[in-house]
Amino acid sequence: MSHMGKARGYETLFHRHATNPILTAEDWPYPAHSVFNPAATRLSDGTTLLLCRVEDRRGHSHLCAARSQNGVDGWTIDEEPTMRPEPERYPEELWGIEDPRITFVEELGKYAIAYTAFSKGGPGVALALTDDFRRFERLGLVMQPDDKDAALLPRRIDGSFALLHRPMADSGAHVWISYSPDLRNWGGHKLILPARKGSWWDANKVGMSPPPIETARGWLMIYHGVRNTASGSLYRLGLALFALDRPEQCLLRGDSWIFGPEAPYEREGDVPNVAFPCGYTLGADGDTINLYYGGADSCVALATGSIRQLLGWLDEHGVAS
Ligand code: BMA
């Protein structure tokens, strides 16, 4: 443990914020057990909005918005849950709603939230639209269980909306893309990023973490990879790049993980050894990425990187797959 937090000779691509964790259940205006895995977006007035997953003592989650001018501190947290499960109308939300990802969809002039709806049948992917993060229009379950880690691309590809998601199958847990004309009917499913098996850091499961980042060179995906070990799962992050006009085509996939649980708030908590981002915002320079993530399923933390540097790393450490 003496090396904890050191880069051990590897390039440091994401820098943890000095005041991490930036949000915990202790900051909450109402009873909450844990706050983690937030979606993130920058509103038109520059406010950073985090849509946090809040777990209560039943074990069920809902979503709650926290707003800040600088994205680091001075958070204003909604006095009550912002988006509660509605199992009476949406039975797929019986056991809560989790892990949101936000995409602003220009064509709709609205934010699309892809989230995990936890039903008796398992976790599936649900979609909702909003323009103010106060009222939400649900589109219901779009991918049946088991499926999670979903986000919508911000615009149509060849006339269709595109959703990245992670169904579970006997063959493993891989990232897929699906297409839709109307956000309700989905098809054209394709596997785009498989778990790597064997001794790889991302051998046992992969899933998209925040929504893909649009760059001039392609959709940059920060994904989580899971390795099962004798003492539990290890959640770490890797990089892949997909073609802008053909997001099912993987241009580059990095070999090594670039960020993993090292700080105490990532190492210790309800689920140890988890760093799990669901959102990012971009700095005014268009290059700085503020990555918001859950630490050990217990708190919200922030790490900052540079898109240029991430792409440079992929050039050196990535191969087409
Ligand atoms: C994943 C998701 C995340 C969670 C992670 C670690 O399957 O359910 O919500 O952070 O496991 O427990």
Side-chain angles (χ1 to χ4, degrees), residues 4 11 96 104 131 133 245 264 266 280 289:
M4 193 194 284
E11 196 179 346
F104 185 73
D131 48 22
F133 291 95
D245 51 356
E266 300 157 358
Y280 69 88
I289 164 167

Side-chain angles (χ1 to χ4, degrees), residues 139-188:
L139 303 179
L141 202 66
V142 295
M143 294 291 160
Q144 79 268 38
D146 279 15
D147 203 330
K148 39 169 84 170
D149 303 325
L152 199 65
L153 292 187
R155 53 187 165 75
R156 293 182 192 244
I157 305 291
D158 273 344
S160 297
F161 291 109
L163 186 82
L164 299 164
H165 58 111
R166 204 286 305 280
M168 291 278 279
D170 286 347
S171 66
H174 318 299
V175 180
W176 288 66
I177 193 165
S178 302
Y179 298 96
S180 170
D182 57 7
L183 294 177
R184 290 172 195 271
N185 299 285
W186 294 89

Side-chain angles (χ1 to χ4, degrees), residues 36-37 53 98-99 148-149 166 205 235 271 274 276 297:
F36 56 114
N37 299 3
R53 170 176 171 189
E98 308 179 349
D99 299 0
K148 39 169 84 170
D149 303 325
R166 204 286 305 280
K205 280 185 193 176
Y235 278 76
V271 184
V274 178
F276 200 92
D297 283 10

Side-chain angles (χ1 to χ4, degrees), residues 38-43 46-52 64-68 71 75 78 82 102 111 113 132-134 280-281 292:
T41 195
R42 184 101 65 183
L43 303 177
T47 304
T48 295
L49 178 138
L50 298 186
L51 193 59
C52 302
C64 185
R67 295 171 174 82
S68 155
W75 296 96
D78 280 358
T82 310
I102 298 170
Y111 300 91
I113 305 165
D132 57 5
F133 291 95
R134 298 188 197 282
Y280 69 88
T281 61
Y292 293 93

Side-chain angles (χ1 to χ4, degrees), residues 26 44-45 56 67 104 116 141 145 157-158 194 225 240 250 264 277 295 300 304 306:
E26 281 175 30
S44 51
D45 67 357
D56 61 29
R67 295 171 174 82
F104 185 73
T116 303
L141 202 66
I157 305 291
D158 273 344
C250 183
V300 173
T304 301
S306 142

